[in-house]
Amino acid sequence: MAKMTVLQYPDERLRKVAQKIEKVDDNIRSVIDDMFETMYEEQGVGLAATQVDIHKRLFVADCSEDQNEPMVFINPEITEAEGHFKNDEGCLSFPGVYAKVERAEKITVTALDKNGERFSRSAEGLLAICIQHEIDHLNGKLFVDYLSPLKRERIRKKLEKEQRLAEKYATEAH
Ligand code: NI
């Protein structure tokens, strides 16, 4: 297993629309293992393939308190959604940024698991938010797209500044 690099906003590759996975094979399972390692190490609750520059319809998640309920969703689709729910969201592509986003409160999602078997499950609360957030990633959509242009611009400037600083320190350390 190997830890992957998570793309940081405003990297344009986060805007790519992911392609359907035709076959769930060992290659895909190896990507899944690396994505879990990356997500747990970065202390995220979800990670979409798009965020590690792999433009396939796949995400991993673990919204449990003890981080011991790994879930894989391949070619996920929301088939039912009801209610509204507004909650703080963060994202591994936006370190240190949190913002309130309105989502459906309850959803039903169908997807393939890591063996290529189709499943369907209902979700609410944090898991429902996470699934909607990750499916957005696969469509090149980001949680800041729900905010006002002004707020989004402020977040972009903050992250670009932090990235410049990080690059500067990395260069000086060499
Ligand atoms: Ni995210």
Side-chain angles (χ1 to χ4, degrees), residues 66-81:
D66 299 327
Q67 295 253 282
N68 57 3
E69 285 172 34
M71 285 182 285
V72 178
F73 297 80
I74 297 167
N75 300 338
E77 273 181 56
I78 291 174
T79 55
E80 280 171 64

Side-chain angles (χ1 to χ4, degrees), residues 30-96:
S30 152
V31 168
I32 290 169
D33 287 344
D34 289 347
M35 283 175 64
F36 270 122
E37 186 179 339
T38 307
M39 181 189 80
Y40 284 126
E41 219 169 288
E42 302 276 348
Q43 299 185 315
V45 293
L47 182 68
T50 308
Q51 291 177 276
V52 289
D53 203 20
I54 293 174
H55 302 281
K56 296 185 165 144
R57 302 193 78 79
L58 155 70
F59 71 88
V60 297
D62 187 341
C63 296
S64 66
E65 215 159 284
D66 299 327
Q67 295 253 282
N68 57 3
E69 285 172 34
M71 285 182 285
V72 178
F73 297 80
I74 297 167
N75 300 338
E77 273 181 56
I78 291 174
T79 55
E80 280 171 64
E82 63 174 277
H84 299 280
F85 185 65
K86 212 170 183 181
N87 203 42
D88 265 335
E89 287 185 29
C91 178
L92 291 179
S93 296
F94 296 74

Side-chain angles (χ1 to χ4, degrees), residues 9-10 15 89 91 93-94 97-101 103 133 136-137 141-156 159:
Y9 184 78
R15 295 300 187 181
E89 287 185 29
C91 178
S93 296
F94 296 74
V97 175
Y98 299 89
K100 279 208 171 10
V101 174
R103 302 278 188 185
H133 176 116
D136 273 356
H137 272 303
K141 187 164 182 167
L142 299 165
F143 78 118
V144 294
D145 296 346
Y146 296 93
L147 309 177
S148 70
L150 186 71
K151 267 192 196 160
R152 193 161 53 245
E153 186 62 11
R154 212 177 287 154
I155 289 169
R156 184 181 66 79
L159 291 177

